[in-house]
Amino acid sequence: MTTVTEAAEGVPVRPPQPRSGVSRSIRDSLVVARRNLIRMTRIPEIVLFGLIQPIMFVVLFTYVFGGSISIGGSTDPKLYKEFLMAGIFAQTVTFATAGAGAGIADDMHKGLIDRFRSLPMARGAVLTGRTLADLVQTSLTIVVLAGVALLVGWRTHENIGMVICGFLLLLLLGYAFSWIGALIGLTVRTPEAATSGGLIWLFPLTFISNAFVPVNGMPAFLQHIAEWNPFSATVAGARELFGNTMPNVPKSVTGAWPMEHPVVASVIWSLVIIAVFRTLAVRKYRSAAA
């Protein structure tokens, strides 16, 4: 009615402007993310089981290995708790990769991707929305895990701003790895295969690192691998931001640049992983949905 009145009065009427590609992609991604978050609330065991494993790791590593692993020449369990927790946090955000891959593989298996194809939405939004929803779930898991860590004796020694930056660094790595999970989920045929494929490569990645033991106790060839591992850079960066660095443990035993500048190296690694694997995952999605 207003349009007709304005036209009758001689006022030029502008047609609705089409949304830009970026705004459309953001809108569609948020819609898909909301859909996945609602699904998580309706299946609470997804969140519950995602919490149980990291809590078990905290308790087992703290009380089983805490008094037997030497950190800087000391077997004080308190030192090991502060050394350990950044590694447990990093392992938790990266292990969410398996869930991301399984979820996308399940959507493919059920034909949901075909239904998304019929909608006028940005192609990359399906994957971006899924990874954003997984990031929210991982954030909730980290909050609970941090509470458990405080209960078993973990403490930070930096201001709250630095500590928050440490958690953001961890979540950035988790988001980057979720794109690897997305690619795996689009590549395999079943959710079960996606779960296995999402975990099998994570175990060597997380254990050949500085997450659970100092690198200087490893064989020389593994020291180089561990110190150029993007997982190690994030663990070292989180320790630095939490104030959990060990005074008698060297930053690097091989002179690797990522260990000398772990925060910067972690950000670079995460952004490179996002750029590479998002491109590959979106390309795979388009070819799979063609």
Side-chain angles (χ1 to χ4, degrees):
M1 190 70 180
T2 304
T3 303
V4 174
T5 304
E6 289 177 345
E9 294 175 354
V11 179
V13 179
R14 294 182 179 179
Q17 296 297 315
R19 292 178 180 269
S20 68
V22 175
S23 63
R24 178 189 173 192
S25 180
I26 293 173
R27 180 199 61 185
D28 293 345
S29 298
L30 293 177
V31 170
V32 176
R34 181 173 177 272
R35 171 256 176 192
N36 283 286
L37 289 173
I38 291 174
R39 180 173 177 270
M40 290 176 188
T41 61
R42 292 176 178 172
I43 312 176
E45 55 265 32
I46 294 177
V47 180
L48 180 62
F49 292 151
L51 288 171
I52 291 175
Q53 180 178 315
I55 290 174
M56 288 176 59
F57 272 110
V58 170
V59 175
L60 290 174
F61 273 87
T62 298
Y63 293 109
V64 175
F65 301 111
S68 59
I69 295 180
S70 175
I71 304 296
S74 172
T75 57
D76 183 356
K78 181 181 177 182
L79 286 179
Y80 187 63
K81 290 172 187 175
E82 297 194 356
F83 178 86
L84 171 70
M85 282 315 304
I88 294 290
F89 289 140
Q91 183 190 56
T92 301
V93 300
T94 53
F95 271 35
T97 299
I104 291 174
D106 187 50
D107 288 344
M108 292 282 290
H109 185 68
K110 291 178 178 177
L112 183 64
I113 299 299
D114 291 332
R115 277 176 270 172
F116 280 135
R117 283 183 59 202
S118 65
L119 300 176
M121 61 188 302
R123 287 294 178 91
V126 174
L127 302 180
T128 303
R130 175 76 208 196
T131 55
L132 288 176
D134 290 330
L135 179 63
V136 173
Q137 181 183 350
T138 303
S139 301
L140 295 175
T141 302
I142 287 295
V143 169
V144 175
L145 191 59
V148 174
L150 291 172
L151 289 176
V152 301
W154 173 65
R155 296 293 182 268
T156 60
H157 304 286
E158 291 288 354
N159 60 64
I160 187 64
M162 296 281 282
V163 172
I164 291 173
C165 287
F167 283 115
L168 291 177
L169 194 72
L170 291 162
L171 290 173
L172 180 61
L173 180 74
Y175 182 69
F177 274 47
S178 69
W179 282 105
I180 302 178
L183 181 61
I184 293 172
L186 290 167
T187 303
V188 300
R189 296 183 179 181
T190 65
E192 293 79 10
T195 301
S196 300
L199 288 175
I200 193 170
W201 60 275
L202 279 173
F203 278 103
L205 185 79
T206 55
F207 281 92
I208 305 176
S209 71
N210 59 0
F212 308 115
V213 294
V215 173
N216 54 7
M218 297 180 181
F221 75 97
L222 284 183
Q223 290 177 355
H224 290 278
I225 296 173
E227 294 201 334
W228 282 94
N229 184 343
F231 185 84
S232 293
T234 299
V235 172
R239 284 192 186 122
E240 188 173 293
L241 292 169
F242 293 153
N244 289 156
T245 54
M246 302 291 108
N248 295 323
V249 177
K251 278 189 171 185
S252 173
V253 295
T254 67
W257 184 86
M259 293 297 97
E260 298 293 340
H261 309 86
V263 176
V264 176
S266 175
V267 173
I268 293 173
W269 273 120
S270 295
L271 293 179
V272 168
I273 292 170
I274 292 171
V276 172
F277 284 92
R278 187 184 188 280
T279 301
L280 294 175
V282 172
R283 184 177 300 170
K284 182 68 177 178
Y285 170 78
R286 287 174 175 167
S287 63

